[in-house]
Amino acid sequence: MVIVGLTGGIGSGKSTVADMFKDEGAYIIDFDILSRIVVERGKPAWEKIVKYFGPHVLFPDESINRAALGRVIFAEEKSRKTLEGFVHPMILKERDKLIEEIRDENPSSVVIIDFPLLFELGMNEDFDKIILAYVPRDVQIKRVMERDGLSMEDVEKRLNAQMPIDEKKNLSDYIINAERAFGDMRDQVKKVIYRLNKIAEKGRAN
């Protein structure tokens, strides 16, 4: 089994890249999905969030209002770090369960973990290889403003909470240029998955 981290920045096209790898046969574990699961109403992380941030970060049905919570955590680093402390241990437990399920099903699989904060949380060593979905910062800003309806100031706050994407390039094993046309991106993905499958096959041979 090859455990691969897929990262990028907001608006970098990471989700599109993940879908392409899935189409090529890779198993995908999406940390954004796991982050929603672990904060479902009544779960330990949910209880910690409500106790610390207060009921104003909830919808009327008591589910987490991610937009309201985002406005708080991106305005203050302490709040963001506190939230990460509540959520990430639970996410990692869910990740480990999924990895073991995949290992039982296919011991020589390529598992790609879609993990936005991989570098920010210093978890580089958790992965055999790292893939970066890359676009320039100005493209990130434009995409997120159009996608989420945020002001440039709000987008800048979110970007400033992440490692600059150009720094991530130097720390990654493979880079998918997500500014390219769809077909070009798919060709890049095919080349990377070919290499990853070779690594997985070599591991099986050993």
Side-chain angles (χ1 to χ4, degrees):
M1 176 180 282
V2 180
I3 307 295
V4 183
L6 171 62
T7 193
I10 55 172
S12 67
K14 185 168 49 58
S15 296
T16 300
V17 171
D19 288 341
M20 290 180 176
F21 276 106
K22 184 177 181 180
D23 290 343
E24 296 299 322
Y27 291 81
I28 306 296
I29 297 176
D30 188 334
F31 268 33
D32 187 56
I33 293 175
L34 297 186
S35 73
R36 294 174 185 271
I37 292 172
V38 301
V39 299
E40 289 174 349
R41 183 176 179 272
K43 289 190 174 180
W46 178 90
E47 293 177 349
K48 291 178 180 179
I49 290 169
V50 175
K51 182 176 180 180
Y52 186 87
F53 293 100
H56 66 279
V57 299
L58 298 177
F59 284 117
D61 67 357
E62 295 192 327
S63 63
I64 299 293
N65 183 333
R66 289 165 67 94
L69 185 58
R71 286 191 291 271
V72 175
I73 65 169
F74 288 113
E76 182 187 27
E77 184 176 3
K78 180 184 177 183
S79 294
R80 188 174 73 254
K81 294 295 185 184
T82 298
L83 178 66
E84 290 171 357
F86 293 159
V87 173
H88 280 120
M90 301 297 103
I91 292 175
L92 296 179
K93 286 184 179 179
E94 293 294 325
R95 174 205 63 182
D96 292 343
K97 285 166 53 179
L98 290 173
I99 287 176
E100 288 310 308
E101 290 173 7
I102 295 169
R103 193 188 306 276
D104 290 341
E105 179 181 328
N106 184 358
S108 59
S109 56
V110 174
V111 180
I112 294 180
I113 299 178
D114 184 342
F115 187 5
L117 298 179
L118 187 160
F119 290 121
E120 286 82 353
L121 295 178
M123 297 183 65
N124 318 34
E125 300 302 319
D126 282 17
F127 301 95
D128 299 310
K129 297 291 181 181
I130 297 173
I131 302 166
L132 175 69
Y134 174 82
V135 296
R137 182 183 175 95
D138 62 319
V139 175
Q140 288 183 272
I141 293 171
K142 180 181 178 182
R143 286 181 175 179
V144 178
M145 289 177 66
E146 292 175 351
R147 183 190 69 192
D148 299 337
L150 297 174
S151 67
M152 182 176 289
E153 180 182 2
D154 285 337
V155 177
E156 291 279 3
K157 286 181 181 178
R158 284 158 172 74
L159 286 173
N160 290 338
Q162 299 181 346
M163 178 187 292
I165 197 164
D166 285 309
E167 290 184 22
K168 295 180 180 182
K169 289 175 71 175
N170 297 325
L171 300 171
S172 302
D173 297 292
Y174 306 110
I175 298 169
I176 304 296
N177 187 333
E179 194 180 12
R180 301 281 181 84
F182 193 85
D184 187 296
M185 288 172 60
R186 188 170 292 282
D187 288 343
Q188 295 176 66
V189 167
K190 286 179 179 291
K191 290 177 182 177
V192 173
I193 196 67
Y194 175 81
R195 296 175 186 174
L196 295 175
N197 281 326
K198 286 295 184 183
I199 295 171
E201 290 170 8
K202 183 178 179 181
R204 180 173 55 189
N206 292 337

